Amino acid sequence: MSAWLNGIQSATSGAGLHDQQFNGLFLLFLGITGFFYLIVIVALIAAIILRRRRTGSEPLARAALFGWVGAVVVGLAVLSAASFLVDRRVDAATMGRPPLKIELVANQWWWDVRYHGASPSDEVHTANELHLPVGVPALVTLKSNDVIHSFWVPPLAGKQDLVPGRTNDILLLPRRTGLFRGQCAEFCGTQHARMALDVTVESLPDFRRWQRAQRAPAFAPRTALAQGGYAYVTQRECANCHNITGTPASGRFGPDLTHLASRRSIGAGTYPMTRGHLYAWVADPQGAKPGNNMPYIGFEAQDLHAVVAYLQSLK
Amino acid sequence: MIASLVSLSACDREERESRGRPLAEAAAGGPLVSTLRAGEPPHPRPDPRAAEYENNAYAVSQGQKLFQAMNCSGCHAHGGGGMGPALMDDQWRYGGNMEQIVATLDQGRPNGMLSWRGRLTAQQMWQLAAYVRSLSAQQRQDVLPGRADEPSNTEPQTLRSREEMHSSSPAGVQGTAQ
């Protein structure tokens, strides 16, 4: 979709351990099965020609049969061994290191993200973005609130479905830093295409810094305009669905807004996080992402200015 | 060909008004305790929006979602009633047509029903009203949700028989409620 959200979703970039290992395995499978495919085609052509000339000999056919069976046995043995080795290697790379525990809940059409810690006060609650430290395994628990979604960050690992009423999980091990775009990979309704997940892989100190910032309650509004926005957001429609930690707004049905302005996108990758796009989103969410569950409020102009000023202060 | 044309006509039951119309109730200044006055007609003025949301499968399912999200079940259970009156029976204290239910949501009612003015948009109140009417099967059969989003001890609405509305006048059911 939009270039501003990390452009290409390449499944062959090998930015994650799983992606890299399985990519190698895929190429090996492709090579060996391709080789056998060629043999079959060559044998087919040879058979047609030999049949026409009626010059087939019994010993040649016997040799071909033994050769074929031998090649199949060797090919399958190589593929089995390679699968086994890749499985062991992935296991060895992730074993013995406590993984980062993340809970990802899919909703129509956004991602609810929770980082679990040693105690409840270590928890980080955010939405539509995933921050991962490089080289640390992350165990992502996958749940869904409504329909079947699918978690897919192509450069890191394969797909895993999020099924309502069930818990799935997927292990990630990012190997290099960067920004990656994840995408819901199971059709889940009208806005399936605009259900992106912004993934940031960063160094461990950067990740710790981000985590500390996210644990803090929301900043108090400073300007008079932002204070007006604070009053509107916490007392009117917004607070029914959105949570802003440290304020009376504690709804749980929409994305957490505590550090909204620190994210890179609005509406699960619908817009980049800019002042103009915040206006567009808040004034008319149904124009930005038709059919999503955020209703059209019909703000008065002064309320709109105030709400946007407040949301922008939620760094 | 004919079958596909016939099935196309069924799309009407899900026609969507994505934004809803601007609020009428936002105009009133200050909190309104109650507009109920003795001797006044029980019907709020008919609203053309009622027809858009009535018998609309999308509105009913969005209403169902809101009914859970706004914790209506806390008092009304899944329509069976508890602290608040049952919604799946044939009795309506404050009237059971779309406009009356929206007025109840908007203004709140004595003994615990809070006012949702300024907390839900008009569109959401109409969607809730459509769902509340579906609880006693007042909606067309083919727009009713076949299953609840949460575990429920009541039968699916599609199996429910329509409760005739006893009286559209609140006075008619005042004494018999609960």
Side-chain angles (χ1 to χ4, degrees):
Chain A
M1 204 170 58
S2 333
W4 57 268
L5 198 62
N6 317 327
I8 307 157
Q9 300 187 126
S10 167
T12 56
S13 72
L17 171 79
H18 297 77
D19 192 62
Q20 187 198 37
Q21 292 291 327
F22 288 113
N23 216 1
L25 198 58
F26 170 74
L27 289 176
L28 183 69
F29 267 70
L30 190 68
I32 290 184
T33 52
F35 171 71
F36 278 94
Y37 178 73
L38 281 182
I39 290 183
V40 169
I41 294 296
V42 167
L44 189 64
I45 293 170
I48 291 169
I49 293 169
L50 290 181
R51 174 80 187 138
R52 237 179 235 161
R53 290 187 191 156
R54 296 182 177 281
T55 55
S57 69
E58 190 70 8
L60 183 65
R62 183 177 289 266
L65 183 66
F66 278 110
W68 172 249
V69 170
V72 168
V73 168
V74 170
L76 285 178
V78 169
L79 291 184
S80 305
S83 303
F84 178 77
L85 288 177
V86 163
D87 182 59
R88 291 294 92 195
R89 217 172 295 157
V90 166
D91 229 28
T94 50
M95 276 255 270
R97 297 152 83 182
L100 186 68
K101 285 196 177 128
I102 303 172
E103 187 180 322
L104 194 69
V105 184
N107 295 274
Q108 282 177 323
W109 292 274
W110 59 281
W111 306 92
D112 197 20
V113 184
R114 260 168 215 276
Y115 286 75
H116 293 302
S119 74
S121 63
D122 288 341
E123 192 171 278
V124 167
H125 195 183
T126 178
N128 299 328
E129 62 167 358
L130 208 56
H131 281 244
L132 300 170
V134 67
V136 177
L139 182 64
V140 188
T141 307
L142 305 168
K143 296 175 180 174
S144 169
N145 262 341
D146 32 51
V147 298
I148 300 177
H149 302 268
S150 187
F151 171 82
W152 191 31
V153 187
L156 296 183
K159 300 170 187 175
Q160 184 70 275
D161 279 4
L162 302 94
V163 184
R166 284 180 151 266
T167 303
N168 281 344
D169 52 49
I170 188 168
L171 196 65
L172 306 174
L173 181 58
R175 313 254 297 201
R176 63 175 160 83
T177 58
L179 300 169
F180 307 108
R181 187 179 191 276
Q183 166 71 39
C184 177
E186 176 84 37
F187 180 71
C188 58
T190 50
Q191 288 301 340
H192 164 64
R194 291 204 182 101
M195 189 170 165
L197 183 66
D198 184 18
V199 181
T200 307
V201 178
E202 55 202 352
S203 66
L204 195 58
D206 281 349
F207 173 76
R208 293 271 176 248
R209 209 167 302 129
W210 174 83
Q211 215 176 14
R212 254 199 313 280
Q214 294 289 313
R215 274 185 205 131
F219 289 117
R222 294 221 185 83
T223 64
L225 193 62
Q227 277 160 1
Y230 171 85
Y232 191 99
V233 167
T234 51
Q235 288 165 23
R236 295 286 303 270
E237 293 91 346
C238 320
N240 272 334
C241 296
H242 291 290
N243 175 64
I244 303 176
T245 304
T247 76
S250 56
R252 283 294 179 206
F253 307 100
D256 189 286
L257 301 182
T258 312
H259 297 287
L260 172 75
S262 73
R263 296 177 201 153
R264 292 169 11 95
S265 78
I266 303 171
T270 304
Y271 286 148
M273 180 63 71
T274 67
R275 183 151 179 251
H277 285 107
L278 262 181
Y279 267 103
W281 178 268
V282 173
D284 187 8
Q286 294 301 320
K289 193 173 174 180
N292 86 78
N293 286 319
M294 174 151 161
Y296 172 74
I297 308 266
F299 283 110
E300 299 292 329
Q302 71 272 17
D303 290 335
L304 179 63
H305 286 306
V307 166
V308 171
Y310 176 58
L311 292 180
Q312 265 215 306
S313 75
L314 295 174
K315 290 280 184 197
Chain B
M1 179 70 183
I2 292 168
S4 62
L5 281 178
V6 168
S7 61
L8 262 183
S9 73
C11 295
D12 290 348
R13 76 189 184 98
E14 267 203 275
E15 230 168 348
R16 300 181 185 190
E17 169 57 61
S18 71
R19 290 180 183 81
R21 300 244 195 88
L23 314 183
E25 76 273 8
L32 190 63
V33 177
S34 171
T35 53
L36 295 176
R37 298 275 183 284
E40 283 208 356
H43 291 282
R45 209 168 292 153
D47 193 313
R49 282 178 287 185
E52 281 172 29
Y53 293 92
E54 178 91 318
N55 288 323
N56 182 308
Y58 178 66
V60 171
S61 70
Q62 287 296 96
Q64 183 180 35
K65 214 168 187 168
L66 284 166
F67 195 87
Q68 296 301 331
M70 298 301 136
N71 199 23
C72 306
S73 312
C75 295
H76 297 286
H78 293 279
M83 263 191 290
L87 300 174
M88 51 194 282
D89 62 6
D90 54 353
Q91 295 175 354
W92 300 87
R93 294 185 189 183
Y94 299 103
N97 65 35
M98 290 287 283
E99 290 89 345
Q100 288 166 323
I101 298 171
V102 168
T104 297
L105 287 163
D106 181 41
Q107 298 160 7
R109 293 290 180 240
N111 297 330
M113 176 70 197
L114 53 152
S115 161
W116 288 90
R117 172 170 306 170
R119 286 172 176 79
L120 290 177
T121 65
Q123 182 191 28
Q124 290 176 313
M125 289 190 219
W126 286 108
Q127 289 170 341
L128 268 169
Y131 175 66
V132 166
R133 274 177 62 75
S134 81
L135 285 170
S136 51
Q138 307 295 327
Q139 307 277 23
R140 244 166 60 184
Q141 187 78 14
D142 62 345
V143 307
L144 299 177
R147 65 176 184 93
D149 283 341
E150 309 220 333
S152 162
N153 57 357
T154 53
E155 74 268 31
Q157 289 174 45
T158 43
L159 297 181
R160 226 168 264 173
S161 57
R162 184 185 172 119
E163 299 276 2
E164 288 306 321
M165 289 170 63
H166 263 184
S167 163
S168 54
S169 115
V173 294
Q174 279 296 316
T176 57
Q178 283 205 332

